Amino acid sequence: MADTAENSASTSSGRYHMDTELVFIEGDAVKDNYNAASVPIYQTATFKQTNADGSGGEYDYSRSGNPTRTAVETHIAKVMKAHRAFVVSTGMTALDVILRLVKTGQEIIAGDDLYGGTNRLLTYVSQFSGIKVHNVDTTDVSKVEARLDPVKTRLVLLESPTNPLIKIADMRTIAARVHEVCPSALVVVDNTMMSPYLQNTLELGADIEYHSGTKYLSGHHDLMAGVIGCREARVAEQVYFVINANGSGLGPFDCWLLLRGIKTLGIRMEKQQGNAIRIADFLEAQGFKVHYPGLRSNPQYELHKGMSSGPGAVLSFETGDVALSERIVESARLWGISVSFGCVNSIISMPCKMSHASIPAEVRKQRRLPEDLIRLCVGIEHHEDLIGDLTNALTKAGVSVKPFSSS
């Protein structure tokens, strides 16, 4: 499904489709005297120099730079169509680095439906750094505009789709409006849910796109990583300064794991997305309220389609009863109960009790985050097995399942 005009368009090299760019490592990404087929792991903290003043080498200390990290950052920058990309220890580290660009007295506009860890970090900076955070419904452009201040606004932080209600923001319009009203503000997008394979937010007008590399980019939940892509050199220099200063750059072995994972992103995402579409159809046929931009019944279907080349592989649905949701989750067998998403294995969870539990109950209620919400992060298993397992879980939980054909 992702092989559309948007996603099959050539990358900055002007040569290859995205599936090929994910696999193909440019020859100048790393200097290797032995021409290894796999990028070498430079598992070293420091590098020998040739001169007494410490000069003479491209690298000196792995906190500042490492050949393996250079290789994955160069590759990711190509995939993201970024001026420069960086890899750090976790997705939350990526956001922390970005937030260092905000000064005391400045303001951040963020969504009211966003990852629990993001909410936790934004709450921290608002309490201890003198930074005002406005949480608004980013699906309504007018509500973002209402909070724009030409002097104070420094960051506009977006998720699209949001986590966990899978709401869509008009990123193109918001970015244009922010840059018009607040020339010094940065539009930042957490694009983890879509991955660079399905959505390129820098082309939509974002200044910074970041990811939890732990999710789709890695794909196997055996790695913690964060990715930051910058559209312009000026912003990239500021981001690199922070990473070098605080030592948050990703280690060599983890860089190698991330690079390996990126190569299979295309085939994984296609399979996961195909499964998710069938599962969303199944759940909607059962009468549940399903949140997924791949459903034509979704009012934001066309908006999302205009920005992305596919709906992704994360969806959520409401049962109307917390106890029922708990029984469904606990009755599943193939679907592991876990936080996170983007893994080859399918995952089921109740966000209000897990990934978003750090958001106070009264705030969740204010933001209309349903306590009964179930989030499904779809893997690469056979879709009939996944739907069959959900059918068994629903039946055990007391739901009368209607016949459904997934063919």
Side-chain angles (χ1 to χ4, degrees):
M1 182 172 182
D3 194 19
T4 63
E6 293 92 337
N7 205 40
S8 62
S10 59
T11 64
S12 57
S13 66
R15 293 181 297 172
Y16 306 120
H17 294 75
M18 177 63 86
D19 295 284
T20 305
E21 292 288 10
L22 289 168
V23 176
F24 178 61
I25 308 295
E26 298 285 354
D28 58 356
V30 64
K31 297 175 182 178
D32 173 33
N33 293 332
Y34 301 100
N35 296 316
S38 176
V39 172
I41 303 171
Y42 287 85
Q43 194 65 48
T44 181
T46 189
F47 299 82
K48 296 177 181 178
Q49 306 300 310
T50 57
N51 301 317
D53 63 359
S55 64
E58 183 175 351
Y59 300 92
D60 60 356
Y61 195 57
S62 280
R63 173 171 54 78
S64 302
N66 179 284
T68 311
R69 190 187 306 152
T70 297
V72 69
E73 288 180 340
T74 301
H75 187 58
I76 290 176
K78 177 189 69 171
V79 170
M80 295 177 69
K81 303 178 185 178
H83 172 78
R84 190 174 178 185
F86 307 93
V87 291
V88 292
S89 57
T90 70
M92 290 310 304
T93 302
L95 178 57
D96 183 68
V97 167
I98 295 166
L99 293 181
R100 302 297 180 102
L101 306 182
V102 186
K103 299 177 181 178
T104 298
Q106 294 183 320
E107 298 182 353
I108 298 172
I109 301 172
D112 59 359
D113 176 38
L114 71 173
Y115 170 52
T118 299
N119 184 82
R120 179 169 50 227
L121 186 55
L122 290 176
T123 300
Y124 181 88
V125 299
S126 68
Q127 292 176 345
F128 296 99
S129 300
I131 296 169
K132 179 68 175 178
V133 178
H134 301 285
N135 292 104
V136 303
D137 180 2
T138 53
T139 65
D140 186 339
V141 176
S142 66
K143 292 185 178 179
V144 176
E145 288 180 317
R147 290 295 186 178
L148 291 176
D149 185 303
V151 176
K152 294 182 178 180
T153 301
R154 175 55 172 161
L155 288 186
V156 176
L157 178 59
L158 305 173
E159 289 182 11
S160 187
T162 61
N163 181 10
L165 287 176
I166 324 295
K167 297 191 293 186
I168 309 302
D170 187 345
M171 293 178 285
R172 186 181 285 108
T173 300
I174 291 175
R177 187 60 178 152
V178 170
H179 292 142
E180 178 184 353
V181 177
C182 309
S184 62
L186 298 174
V187 177
V188 179
V189 180
D190 179 350
N191 197 33
T192 304
M193 189 82 78
M194 286 287 99
S195 86
Y197 183 71
L198 295 178
Q199 183 168 267
N200 186 302
T201 68
L202 298 180
E203 290 190 328
L204 295 174
D207 299 288
I208 300 175
E209 174 180 316
Y210 76 99
H211 297 259
S212 170
T214 311
K215 313 299 193 295
Y216 288 112
L217 293 175
S218 167
H220 295 81
H221 283 181
D222 54 7
L223 164 70
M224 301 287 287
V227 171
I228 304 170
C230 302
R231 185 160 54 92
E232 297 179 351
R234 174 182 57 85
V235 177
E237 290 170 2
Q238 296 173 10
V239 169
Y240 173 72
F241 181 88
V242 175
I243 294 171
N244 184 42
N246 68 15
S248 57
L250 195 63
F253 183 67
D254 286 342
C255 286
W256 183 84
L257 282 176
L258 180 59
L259 186 60
R260 183 179 67 168
I262 290 171
K263 293 179 181 180
T264 62
L265 172 62
I267 56 174
R268 286 187 283 106
M269 183 59 85
E270 288 288 357
K271 176 65 173 177
Q272 289 171 278
Q273 179 174 255
N275 284 345
I277 292 170
R278 288 183 171 94
I279 290 166
D281 287 339
F282 165 74
L283 291 170
E284 189 173 55
Q286 305 310 313
F288 294 117
K289 183 178 181 180
V290 182
H291 304 276
Y292 185 60
L295 290 171
R296 292 187 178 276
S297 59
N298 189 310
Q300 296 181 302
Y301 175 86
E302 292 296 337
L303 174 61
H304 179 77
K305 186 178 179 181
M307 298 184 292
S308 306
S309 58
V314 179
L315 60 135
S316 59
F317 67 101
E318 299 174 43
T319 68
D321 184 273
V322 173
L324 174 60
S325 295
E326 291 175 346
R327 293 197 300 273
I328 293 171
V329 170
E330 293 173 356
S331 297
R333 182 167 179 254
L334 286 178
W335 299 80
I337 303 175
S338 178
V339 295
S340 198
F341 58 88
C343 181
V344 292
N345 302 97
S346 293
I347 289 173
I348 190 171
S349 68
M350 294 181 65
C352 290
K353 294 182 177 295
M354 298 178 69
S355 58
H356 293 66
S358 62
I359 301 176
E362 62 273 16
V363 176
R364 295 199 301 266
K365 184 177 181 180
Q366 178 185 356
R367 297 179 183 177
R368 298 179 180 179
L369 182 57
E371 296 292 321
D372 62 296
L373 190 72
I374 295 176
R375 190 182 71 178
L376 298 179
C377 308
V378 186
I380 65 171
E381 303 92 339
H382 197 285
H383 66 272
E384 290 183 356
D385 293 327
L386 292 174
I387 292 175
D389 194 58
L390 281 176
T391 298
N392 291 336
L394 291 170
T395 301
K396 289 181 180 179
V399 177
S400 179
V401 179
K402 301 173 185 176
F404 176 81
S405 174
S406 61
S407 59

